[in-house]
């Protein structure tokens, strides 16, 4: 998967799971908590992103994915 596809998936899953969040490229480096994503939403986003990208993301790996950019890098590997 290329970076562009990964960015689209991550942005859409964040917007789907987090009320009133509008993602843009400049928000990709911000911590999820700073974007208003609570711990339950983080897990929902990670699960949805993994499913949409066809990538298995373990709980241990998910703990390190604390920015949209890190999620993109992980699924674009």
């Amino acid at each position: 998967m290329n970076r562009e596809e990964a960015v689209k998936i991550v942005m859409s899953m964040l917007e789907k799971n987090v009320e009133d969040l509008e993602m843009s490229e400049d928000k990709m480096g911000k911590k999820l908590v700073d974007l208003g994503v609570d711990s339950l939403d983080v897990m929902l986003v990670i699960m949805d992103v993994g499913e949409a990208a066809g990538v298995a993301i373990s709980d241990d790996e998910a703990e390190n994915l604390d920015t949209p950019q890190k999620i993109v890098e992980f699924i674009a590997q």
Side-chain angles (χ1 to χ4, degrees), residues 3-75:
R3 184 184 187 284
E4 187 176 309
E5 292 170 328
V7 167
K8 284 181 185 176
I9 289 172
V10 171
M11 285 184 169
S12 69
M13 292 305 147
L14 279 163
E15 289 176 347
K16 173 186 159 200
N17 285 292
V18 183
E19 193 172 329
D20 298 326
L21 176 63
E22 291 185 30
M23 283 300 298
S24 58
E25 193 69 40
D26 64 318
K27 295 179 180 175
M28 294 300 287
K30 294 186 183 248
K31 299 267 187 199
L32 293 171
V33 294
D34 294 337
L35 294 173
V37 186
D38 66 29
S39 57
L40 177 59
D41 288 337
V42 168
M43 292 314 297
L44 292 173
V45 167
I46 297 289
M47 288 187 331
D48 285 353
V49 166
E51 188 175 312
V55 176
I57 304 173
S58 72
D59 290 344
D60 288 340
E61 291 165 329
E63 285 181 26
N64 297 318
L65 303 177
D66 61 352
T67 68
Q69 183 60 43
K70 287 181 182 177
I71 300 170
V72 167
E73 290 167 5
F74 183 85
I75 65 171

